[in-house]
Amino acid sequence: MSRNQITIHPVNGHQEKGAKNILAHLPHYYLPGLNTYLLSNIKNSNEAIQFYSVPDRFNLPVPCITLTNIEPKINAVLDMINLKSQWKRENEKLLELCQKKLSLDTLNFVKSTLNSKKPTIYSKIPYVLTRFTSNLMTNPDQYFDSEYNWYFGNTIEKFQINGQWVLACARGVNLDILDIISICDNKFELIQSKNDKLFRNPIFDIKSSLLNDLMIRQKTKLFMFCNNSDSEPILKNYTVYDNCDIPFADADMMANNFCTADVKHFIKLWKDGNCIQNKYLDVMYDQTDSFIHLNYLQNKNNLIGVIDRQKFYLLDTRIDISKPCSIYDPTTFIESCEELTTLSSSCLNSDSIYVTSNHSVLTFDNRMGFVNKSYHMLSNPPSLINVHRYEKNFDSCEMLILGNQTSESLISLPYTSYPDNILLCQSIASSIPNPLQSLHNVQLQGYCLNPLLFDRFSRCLTGTTVIGEHIKDLKLYSINSAGDLFVQKLNDSTPIDVTEFNKNITIKPQTIPKLNYSCIFDMSNLWQLEPSDIHKEINIKKNNFWNMSKKKMLSYVDHLAPIILSPWDIDDLSEWENEDENADVNDDSDCDYATKVNFWFNKNDTLLGSAESKVLNSEPINDNPPTNILSQATTSKIVPSSENDDDSSSGFTVSLKSEDSQ
């Protein structure tokens, strides 16, 4: 993981507050610099313009073979990064709790108790400390701490069988299946496969030698598949090298020789299946994790280039490899936030090797050191690197392809060899279309609309290789973390064959479990109901729409209702559903409303009088008298109440007058 966070482009002398500097507001990868060279004949701007050339472009990638069904929640590349990030967050929380709740005396007491030589030890350990120590034991990988999975190299490789090119690639949801795919007349056929019973864990890297032998690197195992003859299957004879519980960081092969580097920085040299050297390489500084990568120089099995986060080491296998013959520090001409990430030897120049950092591509020459610096413009550190040699206008060239572990596109940088075999790049980095762009292009035409395809096509690429000797015949093959294989051509404007594209990406629908039910109800009668006419007036009495039974209505308790309903003789009514019996009772045409209202007031005179007295005693005196709720009523003369008349106990009567009568 980068020690310094990538924030803004540093410009010396323009960091003061308020300085008008546009560079200070741009991330690094948005602002590429010019390619720089150790040996350059460019004298003015006109020569510089003529020196650069237009980059070649690839067309949209298309799937080669049918996509396999996988579990979408599994990602063999990014799962380690996510697990490590979760563990680090939990570990930081527990560490902060320990610092707050545990004193130094408590820790010293626990330490002295555990270090005592007593046969039986009794000690009270704080719960926070036990949680912290338990979390330390769940570390997913103590050697790994990075923002990208540097265990992965290139999960696809080309080699020849009977003069024809074939591809060896890691496929399956866990990248634990090795498939050999033949390429003949633009047709792809699976000729051999090694299932997960042999590997059982993800395949991190695939490399081939000039003898068409294959080297398969896993986390702690190394498989060497020997191609003894063109007639026998290549996956028949193999040797397994087990490094026990120590993970391999990288490995490379050259003819009958191969070398390995583990996370403890022990480098082993193997020749004809025998280990001839096993030495520890001491790094020059403390880095955050155990990152180390190595690579043979092309056609030189006695020179190995090794990188850690800051240094480049050149090892000579003819002497003790624990003491590098040369050490180079590129931090003097790269930015302070950059760290070295990958390396690969040149196919065009046996003395050169490419070294990548967070923002740059450095060309190392064995004769004079670093001679070239280019910008790859990737937003994340490159973890994928591949080099291919080809012919262009009768000149030998090679293409450097870089990628990272995001859904970002690959980039290509063309290199040519100038006098004295110095490699130079005459073009800026060119973006290569990714599979997600192809999916968008096809979906705009109305095909491949399955939403599950977005996740498949947006997965990061884990391997690339190029086949072709001339620039017109170059084909780029790439594979992602789901094992999906794609191909694209250089400078080809042929549109995508939508029919063939849709045929290869057809995904079987997921099996849906049967619905468990406990009760069956026939809903077919609902379709036989006639919809009501919204314009038809509803007769409430006729349709009994709002009717409620008398028994149900009397079941409710309301302290005000008996007083209000008593004048209306509701107790004499029968059930409302019987309309014929209640037709005469419900006839309100001759009802004297004024008499019933007066009867209600006279009957409840005592209640109203007591309530009024309480209001007058509680309310303060106000100059503005309150509005009387009986403003529409007039009071007549007082009539003495009869002692035997219970129905008239108020002593006054109320008559209602409308506004029209006044």
Side-chain angles (χ1 to χ4, degrees):
M1 182 177 293
S2 297
R3 298 172 302 166
N4 303 317
Q5 185 180 2
I6 301 174
T7 53
I8 59 174
H9 198 290
V11 179
N12 296 330
H14 296 276
Q15 303 299 335
E16 297 83 3
K17 183 177 179 180
K20 296 181 179 180
N21 178 24
I22 191 173
L23 302 182
H25 304 283
L26 296 176
H28 284 281
Y29 53 90
Y30 284 156
L31 191 68
L34 296 176
N35 299 343
T36 56
Y37 313 98
L38 178 64
L39 303 175
S40 176
N41 296 324
I42 300 176
K43 298 179 180 179
N44 51 49
S45 59
N46 294 329
E47 292 183 0
I49 295 175
Q50 296 178 0
F51 181 80
Y52 283 90
S53 60
V54 179
D56 299 304
R57 295 190 60 83
F58 284 90
N59 64 353
L60 292 173
V62 294
C64 301
I65 54 181
T66 305
L67 273 64
T68 58
N69 294 319
I70 64 170
E71 176 60 39
K73 296 181 180 180
I74 299 177
N75 193 320
V77 179
L78 302 181
D79 285 347
M80 172 59 70
I81 303 174
N82 297 332
L83 287 175
K84 190 69 177 185
S85 300
Q86 295 174 5
W87 179 86
K88 287 179 63 178
R89 287 195 296 267
E90 183 67 19
N91 192 67
E92 291 174 357
K93 292 179 181 178
L94 294 175
L95 181 60
E96 185 177 354
L97 283 175
C98 290
Q99 293 174 347
K100 289 182 179 180
K101 296 186 176 182
L102 297 181
S103 63
L104 185 60
D105 296 337
T106 303
L107 296 177
N108 290 332
F109 174 75
V110 173
K111 181 180 179 181
S112 61
T113 304
L114 295 177
N115 292 335
S116 62
K117 299 181 180 180
K118 297 180 180 180
T120 305
I121 300 175
Y122 298 95
S123 178
K124 185 178 179 181
I125 301 177
Y127 176 67
V128 178
L129 183 59
T130 59
R131 286 185 58 192
F132 177 71
T133 54
S134 299
N135 187 69
L136 289 177
M137 299 175 64
T138 61
N139 190 346
D141 193 335
Q142 60 178 329
Y143 306 105
F144 176 84
D145 185 11
S146 178
E147 59 188 5
Y148 67 96
N149 195 340
W150 45 260
Y151 282 121
F152 276 87
N154 196 352
T155 60
I156 186 173
E157 182 64 295
K158 63 178 183 291
F159 62 99
Q160 288 186 332
I161 296 180
N162 295 329
Q164 293 185 351
W165 287 109
V166 295
L167 298 175
C169 53
R171 304 187 67 207
V173 62
N174 290 316
L175 299 180
D176 53 1
I177 300 176
L178 180 63
D179 288 348
I180 306 298
I181 301 174
S182 66
I183 305 174
C184 183
D185 298 332
N186 294 329
K187 295 182 179 179
F188 302 88
E189 181 183 359
L190 179 63
I191 57 177
Q192 285 183 270
S193 179
K194 284 291 184 181
N195 55 20
D196 54 354
K197 293 182 180 180
L198 175 63
F199 298 106
R200 298 184 180 180
N201 290 304
I203 296 174
F204 290 155
D205 196 10
I206 303 176
K207 291 184 178 180
S208 64
S209 67
L210 298 176
L211 302 177
N212 294 329
D213 296 336
L214 284 181
M215 182 181 66
I216 312 299
R217 178 173 59 86
Q218 291 187 294
K219 192 167 187 177
T220 59
K221 293 183 179 180
L222 202 67
F223 292 81
M224 301 294 297
F225 292 90
C226 301
N227 187 15
N228 297 327
S229 63
D230 294 336
S231 59
E232 295 182 1
I234 189 173
L235 300 182
K236 183 178 180 180
N237 301 319
Y238 63 91
T239 306
V240 182
Y241 298 89
D242 196 340
N243 207 35
C244 297
D245 296 331
I246 308 301
F248 286 112
D250 201 2
D252 195 19
M253 66 186 312
M254 176 71 66
N256 293 328
N257 303 329
F258 68 94
C259 59
T260 61
D262 58 32
V263 292
K264 292 188 175 182
H265 291 192
F266 279 91
I267 298 179
K268 296 181 181 180
L269 299 181
W270 301 78
K271 184 175 183 179
D272 298 328
N274 299 318
C275 183
I276 58 177
Q277 283 200 59
N278 184 8
K279 300 293 183 179
Y280 172 73
L281 180 65
D282 189 12
V283 296
M284 294 298 181
Y285 79 108
D286 295 332
Q287 55 186 26
T288 56
D289 58 3
S290 302
F291 169 82
I292 185 173
H293 276 189
L294 52 79
N295 199 274
Y296 278 107
L297 269 69
Q298 185 71 16
N299 299 326
K300 291 186 178 181
N301 56 9
N302 57 348
L303 288 180
I304 302 176
V306 181
I307 60 170
D308 55 19
R309 292 298 186 190
Q310 296 291 330
K311 306 286 185 179
F312 176 83
Y313 309 89
L314 193 62
L315 307 182
D316 193 335
T317 60
R318 294 167 294 187
I319 60 176
D320 187 1
I321 59 175
S322 63
K323 300 177 181 179
C325 58
S326 300
I327 301 176
Y328 298 89
D329 185 6
T331 57
T332 56
F333 49 87
I334 61 176
E335 300 181 40
S336 58
C337 66
E338 292 190 82
E339 294 178 343
L340 304 183
T341 58
T342 57
L343 79 165
S344 179
S345 60
S346 171
C347 299
L348 191 60
N349 185 354
S350 59
D351 294 315
S352 298
I353 191 169
Y354 298 104
V355 180
T356 65
S357 63
N358 295 66
H359 313 304
S360 311
V361 180
L362 309 176
T363 305
F364 173 82
D365 193 290
N366 182 30
R367 299 164 295 181
M368 59 187 72
F370 291 100
V371 296
N372 182 15
K373 175 185 175 183
S374 304
Y375 287 83
H376 53 66
M377 291 185 289
L378 290 174
S379 61
N380 286 69
S383 59
L384 180 62
I385 184 171
N386 187 262
V387 181
H388 179 73
R389 181 175 179 174
Y390 62 96
E391 299 291 333
K392 180 180 180 180
N393 299 329
F394 302 103
D395 295 329
S396 295
C397 306
E398 69 179 359
M399 180 180 298
L400 177 65
I401 298 176
L402 299 176
N404 53 29
Q405 292 175 355
T406 65
S407 58
E408 194 174 0
S409 300
L410 300 171
I411 64 100
S412 64
L413 285 167
Y415 283 83
T416 56
S417 179
Y418 272 68
D420 298 329
N421 292 330
I422 302 297
L423 294 178
L424 298 178
C425 180
Q426 293 182 286
S427 173
I428 61 175
S430 174
S431 176
I432 301 176
N434 57 21
L436 189 58
Q437 294 176 260
S438 300
L439 180 63
H440 289 165
N441 182 277
V442 174
Q443 287 180 341
L444 290 176
Q445 304 180 43
Y447 295 88
C448 308
L449 302 179
N450 190 339
L452 297 177
L453 294 175
F454 180 83
D455 177 71
R456 293 291 292 266
F457 280 74
S458 61
R459 292 206 171 198
C460 64
L461 298 177
T462 59
T464 60
T465 188
V466 182
I467 296 179
E469 297 180 357
H470 195 271
I471 188 172
K472 297 181 180 179
D473 304 325
L474 295 185
K475 293 183 180 179
L476 172 63
Y477 296 88
S478 57
I479 193 168
N480 62 9
S481 61
D484 303 329
L485 186 62
F486 302 90
V487 62
Q488 51 198 131
K489 299 179 181 179
L490 187 67
N491 298 331
D492 186 10
S493 59
T494 305
I496 297 178
D497 187 353
V498 179
T499 304
E500 189 67 20
F501 190 96
N502 188 34
K503 178 182 176 181
N504 287 332
I505 68 171
T506 302
I507 300 179
K508 295 181 180 180
Q510 296 181 350
T511 57
I512 302 176
K514 294 183 178 180
L515 177 64
N516 296 326
Y517 53 86
S518 58
C519 180
I520 301 177
F521 183 76
D522 187 8
M523 305 290 290
S524 60
N525 294 332
L526 295 177
W527 300 102
Q528 301 175 3
L529 298 178
E530 296 181 359
S532 59
D533 189 358
I534 59 176
H535 301 290
K536 185 178 180 180
E537 295 183 0
I538 300 176
N539 190 338
I540 297 178
K541 289 186 177 181
K542 182 177 180 180
N543 296 333
N544 298 325
F545 194 74
W546 297 106
N547 284 359
M548 182 184 295
S549 66
K550 177 182 177 182
K551 180 178 180 183
K552 184 175 181 180
M553 189 172 183
L554 293 176
S555 64
Y556 298 102
V557 178
D558 193 339
H559 299 285
L560 186 61
I563 301 175
I564 298 176
L565 299 177
S566 60
W568 307 98
D569 300 327
I570 194 171
D571 292 334
D572 298 334
L573 298 177
S574 61
E575 288 292 337
W576 294 349
E577 286 79 9
N578 192 349
E579 297 182 2
D580 297 336
E581 297 179 0
N582 300 324
D584 297 335
V585 179
N586 295 333
D587 188 8
D588 299 332
S589 59
D590 298 333
C591 179
D592 187 1
Y593 295 100
T595 302
K596 290 192 176 185
V597 171
N598 289 328
F599 171 75
W600 186 86
F601 276 106
N602 295 333
K603 186 176 180 180
N604 299 281
D605 180 36
T606 305
L607 177 64
L608 293 175
S610 61
E612 183 178 1
S613 62
K614 292 181 180 180
V615 172
L616 293 175
N617 295 331
S618 60
E619 292 183 356
I621 299 175
N622 192 354
D623 296 338
N624 298 324
T627 304
N628 191 355
I629 60 174
L630 299 176
S631 60
Q632 300 297 328
T634 60
T635 306
S636 62
K637 65 179 180 178
I638 300 175
V639 180
S641 61
S642 177
E643 296 178 357
N644 299 327
D645 190 2
D646 297 332
D647 297 335
S648 179
S649 61
S650 61
F652 61 88
T653 59
V654 178
S655 61
L656 299 178
K657 293 182 181 181
S658 63
E659 296 178 354
D660 298 334
S661 62
Q662 292 179 354

